Amino acid sequence: MPASGRRTPMISSPLFRRLLLGFVLAALAAGFLAPVLGEPALTRLAWQAPAALMAVILAADFLAGLRRGSFGVDIIAWFALAGALALGQTLAGAIIALMVAGGSALEEFAEARAHHALAALLSRSARIAHRIEGEAIRDVPVAAIAPGDLLLIKPGEIVPADGLVHGAPALLDESALTGEPVPVSHPDGTQVRSGVLNAGPPAVIRATARAEDSTFAAIVRLVHAAGLERPRLVRLADRFALAFLAATLLLAGFAWLFSGDPVRALAVLVVATPCPLILAAPIALIAGVSRAAHRGVIVKGAGALERLARARTALFDKTGTLTAGTPRISGIEAIDGFDPDTVLHAAASLEQASTHAVARAIVAAAAGLTRPLAPPEAVEETPGSGLSGRVAGRPVLVGSAGFLAAAGLPPPTSGPLARLTAAAAAAAWVALDGRLVGVLLLSDPIRPEAARALRLLHAAGIRHLVMLSGDRQAAVDEIGGVLGLDAALGDLSPADKLAAVRAERARGPTLMVGDGINDAPALAASDIGVAMGAHGTAAAAEAADAVLMVDRLDRLAEALAIARRARAIALQSIAVGMGLSLAAMFAAAAGALPPVAGALLQEAIDVVVILNALRALAGRPAPRPLEDRTAVGRLAREHAELRTLLERMRRTAERIDRSASVPTDELRDIAARLTSLLLPHQKEEEKALFPALAPRLGGRDPLGAMHRMHDEIARETRRFTLLVDALAAAEPTAAEGRELRRLLTVLDALIALHLSAEEDLVSAVEDLSPAA
């Protein structure tokens, strides 16, 4: 049987393979029918013809391989055919010819099955785009798409280029890229990726990249790269296959020598099959690559998958990999008697002119302010440092300590403010009317699934977890401690990251996970680089060996499990197949297995080995989504609203802490939101979501802790609401102010913890992103 991936020129054409197989089957049938038709002499001729033809084909292919510098183990089949013809074993020769022709067809089938998910990805390439030009819509080739073009996506069509939704929301089926079974609604202004299917009404997107620079084009390049590298396991199998060829010829020679019967030598040659060596590994590994692609992880070939399976150390970038990569305001420190809301209002008004992630976080934090933001004027941005401009006619500066120092307003380098900013992930200093008025402290929250992903990686066999970051060591230590990492290294330049990767590689197989341009050298230097492709940079994806198309770190653990299972199946197929083949060879050498029976047994062994290798396509079934999609969607929306409310509660608690007055209007609004949003949200969860989760989790009362948390949140909310309602009767006392601040802090902690726990449960049950 031909070796996988090395079909020789004469048998490489699908049409020729089918014609050859048809001829061999027809000749075999004719040989059996000849005696029935009264022409027994034709039987010998009918069976000799396919054997002779196949011997010529294999000889020609073997010589062609030698000219290319390769030594094909299919020469065993040629020896068997030549021996069968020489000894008059015409039926055995015809069956061997059927084995070679049928084996090539079986290999083609197995490879098609193994590449199924990858082929499905490639089939989603859009060729025509509908470009909106004024009042007209013109069909253009996708290569003509330019950034800024408005594109109409009709129902059932593929999005041809990355872009932003324009106008009405777009309902998109992203399952081919992410493995998520449920279409996702993208509102106006949100980013969408090429290669996804419009599962709703016609939608309009504004292209942000050319088709060749878009997500799907990068995926196509990854898929094409999947067949270029020969895995280490396959290379070892090829070397053993050559040794197997020598052992087969020796055993056949000894069988003939000691028995004096050349038919025994023929039987050994017929039953000898190197297919478990040369087919099992590539088919199992490529099946694993296809399985990973089905789950939203694109692996650049069988070699990368095998290296992933052998990884024992995992290195992670911090920002965007272990953390969300989306900063948020964690505190506002005002100076010289200024109000924190005034500081935030001035900063957010100016930051409306910037597209930086920190600017978006500052503007989002100002959503809860009672007065609207003012339009900024005369804005000048210094990339990576800060902004200057005017808000309501007053000069405002927002930026780093160095930016304000360069403007003659140096922030303090010692004291409480300096210590607070040193402990924060980042800080944005604010100046108003030429005075330093405060600082906005920012945090980069840990991904909701990060802790679970690291636990799963440990369970899958990763022994050493390390974080590499260019951020300050103090911020890195905090994240490392929370996640229980084995090591957390901060203050690293790209060159330092590269050195750290090389040091870890010296200790064992290492994988590196990152998402930014500065991660590309480290990704390329590791044994297996993994890029966060959903929102990561193209440079990181190009340098990596695998790309997570879903913005979820726990898919890495799933890909690792798929890789290890595929490698284990490959090794199992090799061991079992070669064990059976060797046992059959010794039986043939002893005279217990005649050539015809040996040929049939050899084909059976090959079929069993290939079917076993294809088991790598299967695995743990994809989690079945919760039936009530409305409940899941409402959970995500209301959690986002509750997190915005928590930001308001934190700022209000800080205001009470800083001033003697109590912001009664703000407190009443918070109490009303808790009553109208939080409590109904909890009741609806207990009615619809929890009953759907409980059977999947198992146990007598799997959600008892969640119910207990609901009760505690409801109790503290009632206490807070009663106290706020009582403020209308009299001026609040200092004791009431302290109690209100305490209740806000307690509710903040309880609700935040509950939201994370709830999302983790839903994620664990159905493997859907909490943010989806």
Side-chain angles (χ1 to χ4, degrees):
M1 187 180 292
S4 176
R6 293 190 298 277
R7 290 196 189 98
T8 48
M10 294 187 69
I11 311 183
S12 59
S13 165
L15 177 60
F16 183 80
R17 283 198 301 272
R18 294 187 182 99
L19 290 174
L20 183 61
L21 180 59
F23 171 72
V24 174
L25 287 171
L28 263 174
F32 284 114
L33 285 174
V36 177
L37 299 176
E39 298 289 344
L42 292 179
T43 297
R44 185 179 185 84
L45 181 61
W47 289 343
Q48 280 178 335
L53 175 62
M54 191 61 70
V56 170
I57 290 173
L58 289 178
D61 287 343
F62 178 74
L63 293 174
L66 287 180
R67 287 193 293 270
R68 294 193 306 271
S70 63
F71 188 87
V73 292
D74 291 338
I75 193 64
I76 295 177
W78 182 87
F79 279 121
L81 285 167
L85 291 171
L87 297 173
Q89 298 281 332
T90 54
L91 178 56
I95 292 176
I96 296 169
L98 178 63
M99 284 163 32
V100 176
S104 183
L106 180 60
E107 180 189 357
E108 181 184 7
F109 162 77
E111 287 192 342
R113 288 280 294 122
H115 283 89
H116 176 70
L118 298 178
L121 275 177
L122 294 179
S123 69
R124 298 175 68 86
S125 298
R127 293 174 174 80
I128 297 295
H130 313 299
R131 186 163 62 195
I132 301 174
E133 300 176 352
E135 298 297 322
I137 298 175
R138 190 159 71 92
D139 288 352
V140 298
V142 294
I145 296 172
D149 285 352
L150 280 178
L151 305 174
L152 175 67
I153 315 299
K154 298 178 182 179
E157 289 188 338
I158 302 295
V159 175
D162 292 350
L164 301 174
V165 175
H166 183 79
L171 185 67
L172 302 177
D173 176 1
E174 302 180 342
S175 58
L177 299 187
T178 67
E180 304 291 4
V182 181
V184 179
S185 179
H186 293 267
D188 180 36
T190 56
Q191 180 76 36
V192 298
R193 292 178 288 175
S194 56
V196 301
L197 179 79
N198 183 11
V204 177
I205 69 164
R206 185 177 296 279
T208 57
R210 298 179 303 166
E212 59 265 35
D213 299 327
S214 293
T215 298
F216 191 73
I219 292 173
V220 169
R221 290 192 291 272
L222 293 178
V223 172
H224 283 310
L228 299 180
E229 182 185 6
R230 288 173 57 73
R232 174 174 171 267
L233 184 59
V234 174
R235 295 195 302 271
L236 289 173
D238 286 348
R239 288 199 289 271
F240 281 119
L242 293 177
F244 177 77
L245 169 61
T248 298
L249 295 177
L250 283 174
L251 182 60
F254 280 125
W256 187 358
L257 179 64
F258 287 106
S259 68
D261 184 2
V263 175
R264 290 197 185 186
L266 174 62
V268 172
L269 292 173
V270 168
V271 82
T273 171
C275 288
L277 276 174
I278 58 181
L279 281 182
I283 288 176
L285 293 175
I286 286 295
V289 170
S290 192
R291 173 69 181 166
H294 182 68
R295 296 297 298 147
V297 184
I298 307 298
V299 182
K300 293 181 182 177
L305 190 84
E306 188 197 9
R307 294 197 303 277
L308 177 61
R310 292 188 290 111
R312 292 295 179 270
T313 296
L315 310 177
F316 300 89
D317 176 49
K318 182 178 78 70
T319 305
T321 301
L322 290 176
T323 67
T326 52
R328 70 182 185 193
I329 303 297
S330 59
I332 305 172
E333 297 297 326
I335 302 174
D336 294 339
F338 278 89
D339 182 76
D341 284 359
T342 300
V343 174
L344 179 60
H345 182 272
S349 296
L350 182 65
E351 293 285 3
Q352 291 177 105
S354 175
T355 59
H356 194 276
V358 171
R360 292 195 296 270
I362 293 173
V363 173
L369 293 176
T370 54
R371 54 176 171 157
L373 299 180
E377 300 171 343
V379 178
E380 294 184 8
E381 182 168 4
T382 303
S385 296
L387 282 81
S388 62
R390 303 184 74 84
V391 174
R394 304 170 71 182
V396 178
L397 294 174
V398 182
S400 65
F403 179 72
L404 269 75
L409 298 168
T413 56
S414 61
L417 276 182
R419 291 193 293 272
L420 284 170
T421 55
W429 293 89
V430 183
L432 180 64
D433 295 329
R435 295 175 58 190
L436 199 63
V437 297
V439 61
L440 307 178
L441 306 177
L442 294 105
S443 65
D444 186 7
I446 296 172
R447 283 177 173 272
E449 80 280 7
R452 177 171 174 263
L454 297 179
R455 291 195 303 268
L456 292 173
L457 285 171
H458 256 311
I462 296 294
R463 296 193 295 261
H464 197 49
L465 298 170
V466 181
M467 178 167 56
L468 309 178
S469 176
D471 286 353
R472 293 174 294 106
Q473 187 65 51
V476 170
D477 286 339
E478 179 187 357
I479 302 293
V482 170
L483 293 176
L485 299 174
D486 298 303
L489 308 179
D491 297 314
L492 300 180
S493 66
D496 295 331
K497 285 187 178 181
L498 193 59
V501 170
R502 288 171 175 162
E504 290 296 338
R505 281 193 70 185
R507 301 186 184 99
T510 299
L511 70 88
M512 170 74 192
V513 190
D515 74 326
I517 292 175
N518 64 335
D519 297 322
L523 292 173
S526 61
D527 291 292
I528 175 79
V530 181
M532 303 292 292
H535 299 293
T537 65
E542 293 289 346
D545 301 291
V547 180
L548 304 182
M549 298 309 302
V550 190
D551 195 29
R552 292 186 57 82
L553 191 59
D554 48 8
R555 285 294 174 90
L556 176 60
E558 188 171 351
L560 181 63
I562 289 171
R564 295 216 165 138
R565 184 171 185 270
R567 186 171 185 269
I569 287 174
L571 292 171
Q572 179 194 67
S573 296
I574 290 172
V576 172
M578 292 310 298
L580 290 173
S581 183
L582 289 171
M585 288 167 61
F586 281 107
L593 196 62
V596 172
L600 295 174
L601 177 60
Q602 190 259 24
E603 189 67 10
I605 292 172
D606 290 349
V607 170
V608 168
V609 165
I610 287 178
L611 292 180
N612 186 63
L614 286 174
R615 287 195 305 116
L617 282 172
R620 181 177 64 88
R624 182 169 51 91
L626 294 169
E627 287 81 3
D628 190 350
R629 305 312 304 162
T630 303
V632 176
R634 185 172 56 249
L635 174 86
R637 290 192 303 273
E638 292 181 356
H639 278 202
E641 293 179 44
L642 286 168
R643 285 197 166 94
T644 301
L645 179 59
L646 292 181
E647 293 286 352
R648 291 181 61 191
M649 292 165 61
R650 292 181 195 119
R651 289 199 305 273
T652 303
E654 290 171 359
R655 288 180 62 186
I656 296 173
D657 191 39
R658 285 182 171 84
S659 65
S661 62
V662 175
T664 53
D665 289 342
E666 179 71 5
L667 289 169
R668 289 193 187 98
D669 191 48
I670 290 173
R673 290 292 289 161
L674 289 172
T675 303
S676 63
L677 174 62
L678 175 66
L679 297 182
H681 169 80
Q682 294 193 161
K683 289 180 180 177
E684 190 61 32
E685 284 177 337
E686 293 179 356
K687 176 183 175 183
L689 185 63
F690 284 9
L693 286 173
R696 298 163 184 253
L697 294 171
R700 296 181 60 185
D701 188 15
L703 293 168
M706 302 298 290
H707 284 288
R708 179 73 181 87
M709 207 177 297
H710 271 187
D711 294 342
E712 189 65 22
I713 290 171
R715 186 174 72 87
E716 295 296 328
T717 299
R718 282 193 292 271
R719 293 187 63 185
F720 176 77
T721 304
L722 288 172
L723 187 54
V724 170
D725 289 343
L727 295 181
E731 186 71 21
T733 64
E736 288 174 320
R738 288 192 298 272
E739 178 63 8
L740 285 166
R741 185 189 64 192
R742 186 193 70 80
L743 287 171
L744 285 170
T745 303
V746 168
L747 281 169
D748 174 28
L750 280 174
I751 296 170
L753 177 63
H754 182 67
L755 296 182
S756 296
E758 207 163 57
E759 289 166 350
D760 200 38
L761 280 175
V762 173
S763 173
V765 165
E766 65 167 15
D767 200 26
L768 292 178
S769 170

